[in-house]
Amino acid sequence: DADVTQTPRNRITKTGKRIMLECSQTKGHDRMYWYRQDPGLGLRLIYYSFDVKDINKGEISDGYSVSRQAQAKFSLSLESAIPNQTALYFCATSGAGTGANVLTFGAGSRLTVL
Amino acid sequence: KQEVTQIPAALSVPEGENLVLNCSFTDSAIYNLQWFRQDPGKGLTSLLLIQSSQREQTSGRLNASLDKSSGRSTLYIAASQPGDSATYLCAVEYGNKLVFGAGTILRVKS
């Protein structure tokens, strides 16, 4: 089984629908992240969490919300999806402490908003 | 603003060639720099991590260098193989934030 599992892997939805992307990890890591990837822009951080009671906005959090249900689970929600949220979304985890953070990524969730 | 730029955006080389991918960053106050590989339909895999106090790291045919003063890193791939075809991303850690470049799409032709 993968260390970081994302569901769904692919989703097509319509404008205005609520969407949830889920992420679970077996690494035992405290830190979890949600990124989106767009062609030519690299990965951009949406939200991150350093433990169950900690939630922080990244550089592009507008239109998104997250929930850290447990150490191993971090979900990303789009309350009312819009077409420019069409992207590839990645969940990642890392151990605590800066300076030596090797991220472990999930396989990605491709979201298309029509 | 902390920005990471990768050049070239795409590269196509014949099998066996040695190649260099470039990464530049605007803020030299980094904690570390990582190189990732991304395959279609899969997540990112960490290849090499260079701490801010280090100048280079090596893993097999891969060698990554870091020059903080000039804001540059290079990923050297020796004797390239078709299996090296992927997108390579550079990411710079600033405190609790990782800033990614847009990546270099590498194709190694057999």
Side-chain angles (χ1 to χ4, degrees):
Chain A
D1 287 344
D3 293 325
V4 181
T5 301
Q6 292 184 230
T7 57
R9 293 292 313 279
N10 288 285
R11 181 74 183 269
I12 299 174
T13 191
K14 295 182 178 179
T15 297
K17 295 292 187 181
R18 184 178 186 273
I19 297 297
M20 179 180 287
L21 305 180
E22 299 188 11
C23 177
S24 62
Q25 51 115 347
T26 58
K27 298 286 288 185
H29 285 162
D30 288 323
R31 300 183 171 195
M32 298 188 74
Y33 310 80
W34 274 105
Y35 288 90
R36 70 176 274 175
Q37 184 178 34
D38 299 275
L41 293 179
L43 275 73
R44 292 180 291 167
L45 183 62
I46 306 172
Y47 272 95
Y48 61 101
S49 168
F50 284 173
D51 64 40
V52 174
K53 296 180 180 180
D54 178 70
I55 299 291
N56 303 282
K57 292 183 177 181
E59 61 180 307
I60 54 163
S61 59
D62 288 348
Y64 302 94
S65 63
V66 291
S67 174
R68 185 79 184 267
Q69 300 96 322
Q71 186 205 36
K73 296 183 182 296
F74 192 38
S75 60
L76 175 72
S77 294
L78 288 69
E79 295 301 324
S80 180
I82 56 177
N84 75 3
Q85 291 177 312
T86 293
L88 183 57
Y89 290 85
F90 285 104
C91 174
T93 73
S94 72
T98 56
N101 282 340
V102 176
L103 294 179
T104 301
F105 281 83
S109 296
R110 185 168 295 280
L111 176 65
T112 302
V113 183
L114 302 177
Chain B
K1 184 180 178 183
Q2 295 159 335
E3 296 180 341
V4 177
T5 303
Q6 291 187 244
I7 295 173
L11 182 63
S12 182
V13 300
E15 182 177 5
E17 196 161 292
N18 301 325
L19 57 99
V20 174
L21 307 181
N22 297 291
C23 172
S24 61
F25 45 94
T26 56
D27 184 349
S28 61
I30 72 173
Y31 277 94
N32 62 51
L33 183 145
Q34 298 184 47
W35 283 93
F36 292 88
R37 169 182 173 139
Q38 183 178 15
D39 293 283
K42 297 183 180 180
L44 281 68
T45 301
S46 182
L47 296 173
L48 290 164
L49 182 149
I50 310 176
Q51 302 279 7
S52 62
S53 58
Q54 297 174 322
R55 297 299 297 266
E56 66 177 340
Q57 282 284 341
T58 298
S59 176
R61 294 182 294 106
L62 305 180
N63 176 276
S65 68
L66 174 64
D67 184 343
K68 280 178 54 179
S69 61
S70 66
R72 296 180 186 277
S73 175
T74 61
L75 178 66
Y76 176 82
I77 303 177
S80 59
Q81 303 170 357
D84 294 330
S85 298
T87 298
Y88 291 82
L89 294 104
C90 165
V92 179
E93 182 174 354
Y94 296 102
N96 293 321
K97 182 172 67 173
L98 208 60
V99 180
F100 283 82
T104 294
I105 302 171
L106 173 65
R107 179 184 173 213
V108 181
K109 298 173 289 186
S110 58

